[in-house]
Amino acid sequence: MDLDRPPDIVVVAGGEPVAPGLVAVVPASARVVAADAGVDLARGLGWEVDVAVGDFDSVSAAGRSALAAEVADVRVHPMAKDATDLELALEVAAELAPANPAPGRRVLVLGLDGGRPDHALANLLLAAAEPFADLDIELVLAQGRAWVVRDRLAGQLPAGGIVSIVPVHGAATVSVSGVRWPLDRAPLAAGTTRGVSNEATGGPFDLRVHDGAVLCITPRTEETP
């Protein structure tokens, strides 16, 4: 997975508004899936919503009007359900993604931050869950970016930038270069902090996951855009 390849599908959750400058370039061809109040967030960014999903208990009155007038595919679920609206939206993204291995499967997720630490934690773990293993998922966070990595993540990171690699849903084995403390087939036990707070050297960054799954997180600093 390339660090900066544009997304094919955008999933917009109903969290805090996201500044346009924090969102990667989204091509006009990208499909937009909005989860509940994500309809408002997507409209605020100037995006047309292709599919809206959720119980719609938190969407604004203007968003409700837009659902009826502008969104052809609206999937309403009851409030008493066994999944978050984001999980429902990721299921739609998996449905929209083509069957071929890589092209068309890059998914950008934003709007995760809404002041609920339980939601934030659950949704980060959700993005790395097995049902979505075929998607290449990047997450825009209020304080950084994150990627779900099961095989490889490569690209350029600014020198001095913090890089944390956190195993999820079990242990992982990783190799990483382009950082101050490289790793070579290093085991990361579930719950370990060994991969936290590495530092990019400014050269090519290359993370390989030999087994398991990790979240690669680059926290935002005052110097990062």
Side-chain angles (χ1 to χ4, degrees), residues 190-212:
T192 185
T193 58
R194 182 183 182 187
V196 173
S197 293
N198 212 325
E199 184 179 307
T201 58
F205 172 81
D206 194 341
L207 167 63
R208 297 173 187 260
V209 179
H210 306 288
D211 60 69

Side-chain angles (χ1 to χ4, degrees), residues 8 33 40-41 54 65-66 81 86 100 120 146 151 157 176 183 202 221:
D8 306 294
V33 180
D40 296 313
L41 184 54
S65 298
K81 56 187 186 302
L86 178 61
N100 50 309
D151 44 27
L157 290 175
V176 60
L183 298 174
T221 66

Side-chain angles (χ1 to χ4, degrees), residues 80-99:
K81 56 187 186 302
D82 294 330
T84 64
D85 290 327
L86 178 61
E87 182 168 357
L88 299 174
L90 284 175
E91 288 174 355
V92 173
E95 172 190 321
L96 295 177

Side-chain angles (χ1 to χ4, degrees), residues 64-89:
R64 288 182 183 276
S65 298
L67 283 173
E70 303 170 8
V71 184
D73 190 349
V74 179
R75 308 183 187 188
V76 181
H77 291 257
M79 291 182 63
K81 56 187 186 302
D82 294 330
T84 64
D85 290 327
L86 178 61
E87 182 168 357
L88 299 174

Side-chain angles (χ1 to χ4, degrees), residues 18-43:
V18 176
L22 301 183
V23 181
V25 175
V26 175
S29 60
R31 308 289 299 277
V32 177
V33 180
D36 203 301
V39 171
D40 296 313
L41 184 54
R43 294 179 73 241

